[in-house]
């Protein structure tokens, strides 16, 4: 891990979506974004928009 002046810390936001039945697979949405600054705010907004509008259809 870099400890220099240009080092960037990241954080993860995750969402687990279980299947409808016991043996159904689940979906795991994981997003990495900067931990601070304007990019962190933008990342939060994008994650919220995507996960609120997420529709999973059975194939």
């Amino acid at each position: 891990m870099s400890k220099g002046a240009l080092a960037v810390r990241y954080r993860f936001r995750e969402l687990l979506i279980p299947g409808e039945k016991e043996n159904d697979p689940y979906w795991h949405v994981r997003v990495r974004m900067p931990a601070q600054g304007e990019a962190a705010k933008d990342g939060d907004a994008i994650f919220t928009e995507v996960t609120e509008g997420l529709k999973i259809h059975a194939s």
Side-chain angles (χ1 to χ4, degrees):
M1 178 194 307
S2 175
K3 294 183 180 184
L6 298 178
V8 176
R9 293 192 181 269
Y10 291 95
R11 66 188 175 108
F12 293 94
R13 297 257 337 244
E14 297 180 288
L15 175 66
L16 294 174
I17 304 168
E20 292 181 10
K21 300 175 192 160
E22 185 176 329
N23 293 329
D24 284 352
Y26 66 90
W27 292 87
H28 181 194
V29 179
R30 185 178 196 207
V31 177
R32 182 180 88 159
M33 63 187 80
Q36 299 175 342
E38 196 63 33
K41 293 177 191 174
D42 292 342
D44 280 334
I46 292 169
F47 182 84
T48 299
E49 183 177 335
V50 168
T51 55
E52 285 180 352
L54 187 63
K55 303 271 190 255
I56 297 174
H57 302 279
S59 56

